Amino acid sequence: MSSSTAPSGTGSARTRSWWGWGHADAHPSDAECTALGSLLPGTRSRPLPLPRIADLRIGRPGAAPPSALAHLVDAEPDVRAAHAMGKAYRDIARALHGRPGRIPDLVARPRRDQDVADLLDWAGDQEVAVIPFGGGTSVVGGVEYRGDTHRAVLSLDLTAMDRVLEVDAVSRSARIQAGALGPALERQLRPHGLTLRHFPQSFEFSTLGGWLATRAGGHYATERTHIDDFVQGMTVVTPAGSGTSWRLPASGAGPSPDRFFLGSEGAFGVITEAWMRLQERPRFKASASVTFAGFHRALDAVRALAQSDLAPANCRLLDPGESLLSGAARDGSSVLVLGFESATAPVGDRLAAALELARAHGGRGGTGDEPAAGPDAPADTAVSAWRSAFLRMPYLRDGLARMGAVVETFETATTWDRVPALVDTVRTEIGAAARKATGHPATVNCRLTHVYPDGAAPYFTVAVAARPGDEVAVWDEVKAAACEVLHRYRATVTHHHAVGRDHRAGYDVQRPEPFALALRAAKDALDPRRVLNPGVLVD
């Protein structure tokens, strides 16, 4: 069996790939994989076969739920395999070699808060680890179990809790269950003329609860860049009890309970619903691209844009490698993709001002100076190419993985004074580390995904042919080298991919020790039997 049924709320009969990104029928064919591999020296002559669940050694569950909870729990091998890992490169590579790691013993799909509380009580009594699971798109080891201290593992799939429960059109907010996948969430808001408008790359396959638990970044490049900016209040179920924070537009009353659980990755409790700030759907959109002969000049232009009051919704800077990969430019240029949108007024003047500013910093071109108004305003060729490549890229990564290539990304954020040197150092040192680990030349590309008045979030892509059968070890070597560089430049270990298990070492270095003490104490208080997502954030 090569795929699993799409989670509830997708509104689609298509199936999700159990081992790779997205839909099973969207993966590159063997011929396409071979063509991709020919672009990277040292890859295999033919792709690895698609992994099969039937080839995995999936034993009998190590625990059985009580009869009162049995209707919520599934122990079928295909369901368990589909919940064993996230969608990071190392997950894909392990699956391709038949080594997915610890497969959960059981998968539970609660339908209400009390179900979650009952499952946590049972798990605590039976020494069963509980891994909260939304869409399963984690790329940092956030939804897998790595350990041997629990007698069994339960994957807690929230996707049956996928409804918009209440809409307050006056305040433009809604109470939404955490298991709602992006498309289902937006589909339920559409009749009200409202939108959450949070579109991470994983939008189609990830859930509101997953966004909240990982402090996910969305498509906005400025201002409302993270899901944090949309939260009014949350309900969280912990082994020590349940709680709901007050729904407020703002508050100065002590440390925020929402802030504590945002980014907690299921280590302290299970987010079951949230009041979210909404907005009207945009009626006016305009986009354009600008090319630069040099990446550093382009960085200056982006910084000027970020420090202006123009607030573009999209302000993505692609270096020459990213531009070539996406088809945005083939002449060695860096490309700046700009986009503006509004629900109330045309945005052409703002785009024109942004293009003028970019040209003042050496930018060339900039089609779309007189953009058409409306939600379907045409984008220029570079913008269209970037959008298509952005959505297709995870599938191509999996195709290259079948050819024995290491193709993965990592992201960070740091202040503007450090950005240029950080980008140059990553290109040089990570390229050298990849070549040392494999003996093959590596490609290291960079783009800026989000920008702020005081800094930016560089996003790096590494591609290199690996030693056959040793792909995971190669990536771990490269990732360790990358984390060392980030720490050297005081850049965060992650801007929006979360900590999970893969970033624990970097997070432990980054956080102050008194805060670490507070997190450990919170874990003891909220999860005294240590069953919630063991190994994430704290030991």
Side-chain angles (χ1 to χ4, degrees):
M1 188 169 184
S2 62
S3 56
S4 59
T5 303
S8 64
T10 62
S12 171
R14 298 176 75 182
T15 55
R16 291 275 300 274
S17 171
W18 75 269
W19 66 271
W21 183 263
H23 294 297
D25 60 7
H27 279 268
S29 65
D30 286 3
E32 290 173 314
C33 290
T34 301
L36 287 169
S38 68
L39 303 176
L40 201 60
T43 56
R44 297 172 179 269
S45 59
R46 65 181 66 180
L48 289 165
L50 292 175
R52 302 189 313 156
I53 292 176
D55 295 332
L56 302 178
R57 297 179 178 177
I58 303 179
R60 293 174 59 84
S67 58
L69 299 176
H71 66 290
L72 302 173
V73 176
D74 196 331
E76 290 300 313
D78 60 328
V79 175
R80 292 165 60 190
H83 288 76
M85 304 177 299
K87 302 301 181 186
Y89 170 80
R90 68 192 321 275
D91 301 328
I92 307 307
R94 287 185 297 159
L96 286 169
H97 289 286
R99 301 192 297 266
R102 174 70 180 267
I103 293 174
D105 298 82
L106 302 165
V107 176
R109 291 190 174 93
R111 297 186 174 277
R112 56 194 183 115
D113 286 15
Q114 188 59 52
D115 293 341
V116 176
D118 292 344
L119 286 162
L120 292 182
D121 286 344
W122 167 74
D125 290 339
Q126 298 298 316
E127 298 181 356
V128 173
V130 178
I131 313 296
F133 192 100
T137 58
S138 171
V139 293
V140 293
V143 294
E144 66 179 275
Y145 180 82
R146 298 180 192 171
D148 57 6
T149 58
H150 296 79
R151 60 181 292 232
V153 178
L154 173 74
S155 179
L156 189 69
D157 186 324
L158 274 292
T159 53
M161 300 174 67
D162 62 355
R163 292 179 298 139
V164 174
L165 300 171
E166 188 176 351
V167 175
D168 176 358
V170 174
S171 306
R172 287 202 319 197
S173 55
R175 183 165 64 98
I176 307 170
Q177 289 183 306
L181 290 153
L185 185 158
E186 288 292 338
R187 188 165 53 247
Q188 293 176 76
L189 294 176
R190 189 171 291 112
H192 302 275
L194 297 170
T195 175
L196 177 60
R197 205 149 182 79
H198 178 78
F199 299 134
Q201 188 177 33
S202 62
F203 168 78
E204 188 176 4
F205 308 109
S206 54
T207 64
L208 172 63
W211 303 340
L212 297 168
T214 60
R215 299 183 66 194
H219 78 290
Y220 284 116
T222 64
E223 296 190 323
R224 294 168 292 189
T225 60
H226 282 69
I227 194 66
D228 313 32
D229 301 313
F230 301 96
V231 176
Q232 278 188 321
M234 297 196 305
T235 296
V236 182
V237 178
T238 81
S242 303
T244 300
S245 59
W246 285 19
R247 173 191 169 211
L248 296 167
S251 174
S256 166
D258 295 332
R259 287 284 174 179
F260 177 77
F261 287 107
L262 284 167
S264 61
E265 302 187 46
F268 305 116
V270 180
I271 299 169
T272 57
E273 64 179 59
W275 273 98
M276 303 299 295
R277 298 183 179 94
L278 307 177
Q279 54 192 301
E280 294 180 22
R281 293 183 175 275
R283 296 170 49 219
F284 303 93
K285 294 182 183 181
S287 57
S289 65
V290 185
T291 62
F292 292 83
F295 188 70
H296 282 242
R297 287 296 302 275
L299 285 175
D300 291 339
V302 173
R303 176 169 57 83
L305 282 165
Q307 293 174 347
S308 73
D309 60 357
L310 294 172
N314 193 6
C315 188
R316 307 292 175 106
L317 176 61
L318 316 178
D319 76 358
E322 286 283 323
S323 299
L324 178 64
L325 193 64
S326 67
R330 303 182 185 279
D331 61 357
S333 297
S334 296
V335 176
L336 173 59
V337 178
L338 288 169
F340 290 84
E341 60 183 51
S342 171
T344 57
V347 293
D349 289 347
R350 289 164 60 199
L351 177 60
L355 292 173
E356 181 179 357
L357 192 157
R359 293 189 189 111
H361 286 81
R364 304 188 303 266
T367 57
D369 294 21
E370 299 293 337
D376 299 315
D380 69 8
T381 303
V383 175
S384 298
W386 170 78
R387 285 175 178 164
S388 297
F390 179 73
L391 296 174
R392 185 64 180 155
M393 194 56 64
Y395 292 103
L396 300 182
R397 177 205 64 174
D398 292 358
L400 280 165
R402 291 184 63 197
M403 297 302 297
V406 171
V407 183
E408 186 58 300
T409 63
F410 63 95
E411 33 69 66
T412 185
T414 193
T415 51
W416 280 116
D417 59 314
R418 298 186 178 111
V419 168
L422 170 65
V423 171
D424 289 346
T425 302
V426 166
R427 284 198 184 112
T428 301
E429 295 193 14
I430 303 311
R435 180 155 197 156
K436 180 181 178 181
T438 65
H440 297 293
T443 297
V444 182
N445 296 333
C446 177
R447 65 182 184 267
L448 300 189
T449 60
H450 302 77
V451 295
Y452 306 90
D454 53 344
Y459 194 113
F460 299 96
T461 301
V462 181
V464 64
R467 301 183 297 263
D470 210 13
E471 293 88 350
V472 172
V474 167
W475 173 242
D476 287 346
E477 288 182 47
V478 173
K479 188 63 177 285
C483 287
E484 190 282 322
V485 173
L486 298 183
H487 178 59
R488 194 190 317 159
Y489 281 88
R490 305 297 264 193
T492 181
V493 70
T494 176
H495 172 262
H496 58 264
H497 280 168
V499 175
R501 291 165 178 81
D502 294 346
H503 288 155
R504 263 299 302 277
Y507 180 62
D508 287 354
V509 171
Q510 182 175 326
R511 66 187 179 190
E513 183 54 29
F515 184 67
L517 290 173
L519 288 182
R520 295 184 194 113
K523 182 71 170 177
D524 288 337
L526 297 174
D527 182 22
R529 291 183 285 194
R530 301 280 175 145
V531 298
L532 274 172
N533 220 0
V536 169
L537 298 185
V538 295
D539 293 329

PDB file of all heavy atoms in Angstrom, residues 23 40 74 99 120 122 155 170 176 196 198 264 301 311 318 379 402 440 463:
ATOM      1  N   HIS A  23      -0.008  14.701  -2.117  1.00  0.00           N
ATOM      2  CA  HIS A  23      -0.843  13.697  -2.751  1.00  0.00           C
ATOM      3  C   HIS A  23       0.010  12.635  -3.437  1.00  0.00           C
ATOM      4  O   HIS A  23       1.000  12.932  -4.104  1.00  0.00           O
ATOM      5  CB  HIS A  23      -1.769  14.350  -3.782  1.00  0.00           C
ATOM      6  CG  HIS A  23      -2.784  15.273  -3.189  1.00  0.00           C
ATOM      7  ND1 HIS A  23      -3.762  14.847  -2.325  1.00  0.00           N
ATOM      8  CD2 HIS A  23      -2.967  16.612  -3.342  1.00  0.00           C
ATOM      9  CE1 HIS A  23      -4.516  15.883  -1.973  1.00  0.00           C
ATOM     10  NE2 HIS A  23      -4.056  16.955  -2.569  1.00  0.00           N
ATOM     11  N   LEU A  40      22.157  16.670 -11.235  1.00  0.00           N
ATOM     12  CA  LEU A  40      23.008  16.711 -10.045  1.00  0.00           C
ATOM     13  C   LEU A  40      24.073  15.622 -10.160  1.00  0.00           C
ATOM     14  O   LEU A  40      23.749  14.430 -10.108  1.00  0.00           O
ATOM     15  CB  LEU A  40      22.151  16.493  -8.797  1.00  0.00           C
ATOM     16  CG  LEU A  40      22.694  16.975  -7.448  1.00  0.00           C
ATOM     17  CD1 LEU A  40      22.932  18.476  -7.466  1.00  0.00           C
ATOM     18  CD2 LEU A  40      21.721  16.621  -6.341  1.00  0.00           C
ATOM     19  N   ASP A  74      -7.473   3.449  16.164  1.00  0.00           N
ATOM     20  CA  ASP A  74      -7.232   2.610  14.988  1.00  0.00           C
ATOM     21  C   ASP A  74      -5.861   1.968  15.125  1.00  0.00           C
ATOM     22  O   ASP A  74      -4.893   2.631  15.498  1.00  0.00           O
ATOM     23  CB  ASP A  74      -7.284   3.474  13.725  1.00  0.00           C
ATOM     24  CG  ASP A  74      -7.431   2.671  12.445  1.00  0.00           C
ATOM     25  OD1 ASP A  74      -6.959   1.518  12.410  1.00  0.00           O
ATOM     26  OD2 ASP A  74      -8.007   3.208  11.476  1.00  0.00           O
ATOM     27  N   ARG A  99      13.285   2.304   6.722  1.00  0.00           N
ATOM     28  CA  ARG A  99      13.671   2.526   8.114  1.00  0.00           C
ATOM     29  C   ARG A  99      12.922   3.737   8.682  1.00  0.00           C
ATOM     30  O   ARG A  99      13.536   4.755   9.020  1.00  0.00           O
ATOM     31  CB  ARG A  99      15.180   2.738   8.221  1.00  0.00           C
ATOM     32  CG  ARG A  99      16.024   1.576   7.706  1.00  0.00           C
ATOM     33  CD  ARG A  99      17.488   1.727   8.110  1.00  0.00           C
ATOM     34  NE  ARG A  99      18.099   2.902   7.528  1.00  0.00           N
ATOM     35  CZ  ARG A  99      18.792   2.912   6.389  1.00  0.00           C
ATOM     36  NH1 ARG A  99      18.924   1.794   5.694  1.00  0.00           N
ATOM     37  NH2 ARG A  99      19.334   4.015   5.929  1.00  0.00           N
ATOM     38  N   LEU A 120      -5.649  11.203  27.265  1.00  0.00           N
ATOM     39  CA  LEU A 120      -4.458  11.565  28.039  1.00  0.00           C
ATOM     40  C   LEU A 120      -4.453  10.871  29.396  1.00  0.00           C
ATOM     41  O   LEU A 120      -3.393  10.423  29.872  1.00  0.00           O
ATOM     42  CB  LEU A 120      -4.384  13.084  28.218  1.00  0.00           C
ATOM     43  CG  LEU A 120      -4.120  13.919  26.963  1.00  0.00           C
ATOM     44  CD1 LEU A 120      -4.032  15.404  27.315  1.00  0.00           C
ATOM     45  CD2 LEU A 120      -2.836  13.478  26.263  1.00  0.00           C
ATOM     46  N   TRP A 122      -5.840   7.967  30.147  1.00  0.00           N
ATOM     47  CA  TRP A 122      -5.506   6.558  29.917  1.00  0.00           C
ATOM     48  C   TRP A 122      -4.020   6.390  29.599  1.00  0.00           C
ATOM     49  O   TRP A 122      -3.356   5.498  30.140  1.00  0.00           O
ATOM     50  CB  TRP A 122      -6.350   6.005  28.760  1.00  0.00           C
ATOM     51  CG  TRP A 122      -5.858   4.687  28.274  1.00  0.00           C
ATOM     52  CD1 TRP A 122      -5.993   3.478  28.895  1.00  0.00           C
ATOM     53  CD2 TRP A 122      -5.106   4.428  27.084  1.00  0.00           C
ATOM     54  NE1 TRP A 122      -5.375   2.483  28.158  1.00  0.00           N
ATOM     55  CE2 TRP A 122      -4.838   3.037  27.039  1.00  0.00           C
ATOM     56  CE3 TRP A 122      -4.661   5.238  26.033  1.00  0.00           C
ATOM     57  CZ2 TRP A 122      -4.115   2.464  25.986  1.00  0.00           C
ATOM     58  CZ3 TRP A 122      -3.956   4.669  24.978  1.00  0.00           C
ATOM     59  CH2 TRP A 122      -3.688   3.290  24.976  1.00  0.00           C
ATOM     60  N   SER A 155      -0.428   8.023  18.493  1.00  0.00           N
ATOM     61  CA  SER A 155      -0.479   9.233  17.675  1.00  0.00           C
ATOM     62  C   SER A 155      -1.876   9.829  17.816  1.00  0.00           C
ATOM     63  O   SER A 155      -2.874   9.170  17.517  1.00  0.00           O
ATOM     64  CB  SER A 155      -0.177   8.904  16.213  1.00  0.00           C
ATOM     65  OG  SER A 155      -0.254  10.078  15.415  1.00  0.00           O
ATOM     66  N   VAL A 170     -19.036  40.810  13.659  1.00  0.00           N
ATOM     67  CA  VAL A 170     -18.838  42.171  14.159  1.00  0.00           C
ATOM     68  C   VAL A 170     -17.373  42.387  14.525  1.00  0.00           C
ATOM     69  O   VAL A 170     -16.758  43.400  14.172  1.00  0.00           O
ATOM     70  CB  VAL A 170     -19.746  42.442  15.370  1.00  0.00           C
ATOM     71  CG1 VAL A 170     -19.439  43.806  15.983  1.00  0.00           C
ATOM     72  CG2 VAL A 170     -21.215  42.360  14.954  1.00  0.00           C
ATOM     73  N   ILE A 176     -12.453  28.186  16.084  1.00  0.00           N
ATOM     74  CA  ILE A 176     -12.167  27.130  15.123  1.00  0.00           C
ATOM     75  C   ILE A 176     -11.482  25.969  15.836  1.00  0.00           C
ATOM     76  O   ILE A 176     -10.569  26.164  16.635  1.00  0.00           O
ATOM     77  CB  ILE A 176     -11.249  27.659  13.999  1.00  0.00           C
ATOM     78  CG1 ILE A 176     -11.848  28.924  13.382  1.00  0.00           C
ATOM     79  CG2 ILE A 176     -11.038  26.586  12.932  1.00  0.00           C
ATOM     80  CD1 ILE A 176     -10.889  29.651  12.439  1.00  0.00           C
ATOM     81  N   LEU A 196      -9.032  33.721   7.173  1.00  0.00           N
ATOM     82  CA  LEU A 196      -7.894  33.799   8.093  1.00  0.00           C
ATOM     83  C   LEU A 196      -6.670  34.288   7.341  1.00  0.00           C
ATOM     84  O   LEU A 196      -5.845  35.012   7.876  1.00  0.00           O
ATOM     85  CB  LEU A 196      -7.624  32.431   8.721  1.00  0.00           C
ATOM     86  CG  LEU A 196      -6.425  32.328   9.665  1.00  0.00           C
ATOM     87  CD1 LEU A 196      -6.575  33.275  10.857  1.00  0.00           C
ATOM     88  CD2 LEU A 196      -6.229  30.895  10.147  1.00  0.00           C
ATOM     89  N   HIS A 198      -3.923  32.792   6.212  1.00  0.00           N
ATOM     90  CA  HIS A 198      -2.611  32.315   6.656  1.00  0.00           C
ATOM     91  C   HIS A 198      -2.261  31.138   5.756  1.00  0.00           C
ATOM     92  O   HIS A 198      -2.861  30.068   5.862  1.00  0.00           O
ATOM     93  CB  HIS A 198      -2.669  31.881   8.121  1.00  0.00           C
ATOM     94  CG  HIS A 198      -1.377  31.338   8.641  1.00  0.00           C
ATOM     95  ND1 HIS A 198      -0.328  32.149   9.007  1.00  0.00           N
ATOM     96  CD2 HIS A 198      -0.948  30.063   8.836  1.00  0.00           C
ATOM     97  CE1 HIS A 198       0.683  31.395   9.420  1.00  0.00           C
ATOM     98  NE2 HIS A 198       0.326  30.126   9.318  1.00  0.00           N
ATOM     99  N   SER A 264       4.567  25.510  21.609  1.00  0.00           N
ATOM    100  CA  SER A 264       4.893  24.489  22.607  1.00  0.00           C
ATOM    101  C   SER A 264       4.950  23.088  22.027  1.00  0.00           C
ATOM    102  O   SER A 264       5.381  22.149  22.704  1.00  0.00           O
ATOM    103  CB  SER A 264       3.874  24.521  23.745  1.00  0.00           C
ATOM    104  OG  SER A 264       2.573  24.237  23.263  1.00  0.00           O
ATOM    105  N   ALA A 301      17.966  46.801  -1.207  1.00  0.00           N
ATOM    106  CA  ALA A 301      16.636  47.204  -1.664  1.00  0.00           C
ATOM    107  C   ALA A 301      15.552  46.630  -0.770  1.00  0.00           C
ATOM    108  O   ALA A 301      14.591  47.315  -0.405  1.00  0.00           O
ATOM    109  CB  ALA A 301      16.432  46.756  -3.108  1.00  0.00           C
ATOM    110  N   ALA A 311       4.631  48.022   3.308  1.00  0.00           N
ATOM    111  CA  ALA A 311       4.106  46.742   3.811  1.00  0.00           C
ATOM    112  C   ALA A 311       3.621  45.817   2.700  1.00  0.00           C
ATOM    113  O   ALA A 311       2.434  45.465   2.637  1.00  0.00           O
ATOM    114  CB  ALA A 311       2.985  46.974   4.814  1.00  0.00           C
ATOM    115  N   LEU A 318      15.009  36.143  -4.349  1.00  0.00           N
ATOM    116  CA  LEU A 318      15.616  34.894  -4.792  1.00  0.00           C
ATOM    117  C   LEU A 318      17.024  35.170  -5.292  1.00  0.00           C
ATOM    118  O   LEU A 318      17.224  36.060  -6.132  1.00  0.00           O
ATOM    119  CB  LEU A 318      14.799  34.274  -5.928  1.00  0.00           C
ATOM    120  CG  LEU A 318      13.268  34.260  -5.794  1.00  0.00           C
ATOM    121  CD1 LEU A 318      12.644  33.650  -7.041  1.00  0.00           C
ATOM    122  CD2 LEU A 318      12.844  33.511  -4.553  1.00  0.00           C
ATOM    123  N   ALA A 379      -0.169  38.307 -13.070  1.00  0.00           N
ATOM    124  CA  ALA A 379       1.189  38.498 -12.574  1.00  0.00           C
ATOM    125  C   ALA A 379       2.157  38.402 -13.742  1.00  0.00           C
ATOM    126  O   ALA A 379       1.849  37.844 -14.792  1.00  0.00           O
ATOM    127  CB  ALA A 379       1.516  37.424 -11.546  1.00  0.00           C
ATOM    128  N   ARG A 402      14.708  10.036  -4.242  1.00  0.00           N
ATOM    129  CA  ARG A 402      14.694   8.692  -4.834  1.00  0.00           C
ATOM    130  C   ARG A 402      15.933   8.451  -5.699  1.00  0.00           C
ATOM    131  O   ARG A 402      16.300   7.295  -5.947  1.00  0.00           O
ATOM    132  CB  ARG A 402      13.427   8.512  -5.682  1.00  0.00           C
ATOM    133  CG  ARG A 402      12.140   8.448  -4.888  1.00  0.00           C
ATOM    134  CD  ARG A 402      10.945   8.167  -5.802  1.00  0.00           C
ATOM    135  NE  ARG A 402      11.090   6.859  -6.447  1.00  0.00           N
ATOM    136  CZ  ARG A 402      10.405   6.491  -7.522  1.00  0.00           C
ATOM    137  NH1 ARG A 402       9.553   7.352  -8.106  1.00  0.00           N
ATOM    138  NH2 ARG A 402      10.576   5.296  -8.041  1.00  0.00           N
ATOM    139  N   HIS A 440      31.113  15.114  -3.561  1.00  0.00           N
ATOM    140  CA  HIS A 440      30.469  15.697  -4.731  1.00  0.00           C
ATOM    141  C   HIS A 440      30.252  17.192  -4.523  1.00  0.00           C
ATOM    142  O   HIS A 440      30.067  17.652  -3.390  1.00  0.00           O
ATOM    143  CB  HIS A 440      29.119  15.033  -5.002  1.00  0.00           C
ATOM    144  CG  HIS A 440      29.217  13.577  -5.325  1.00  0.00           C
ATOM    145  ND1 HIS A 440      29.807  13.111  -6.469  1.00  0.00           N
ATOM    146  CD2 HIS A 440      28.783  12.480  -4.653  1.00  0.00           C
ATOM    147  CE1 HIS A 440      29.748  11.787  -6.497  1.00  0.00           C
ATOM    148  NE2 HIS A 440      29.139  11.377  -5.407  1.00  0.00           N
ATOM    149  N   ALA A 463      21.621  21.029  -1.999  1.00  0.00           N
ATOM    150  CA  ALA A 463      21.446  19.859  -2.870  1.00  0.00           C
ATOM    151  C   ALA A 463      22.809  19.265  -3.181  1.00  0.00           C
ATOM    152  O   ALA A 463      23.717  19.968  -3.628  1.00  0.00           O
ATOM    153  CB  ALA A 463      20.727  20.255  -4.159  1.00  0.00           C
TER     154      ALA A 463
END
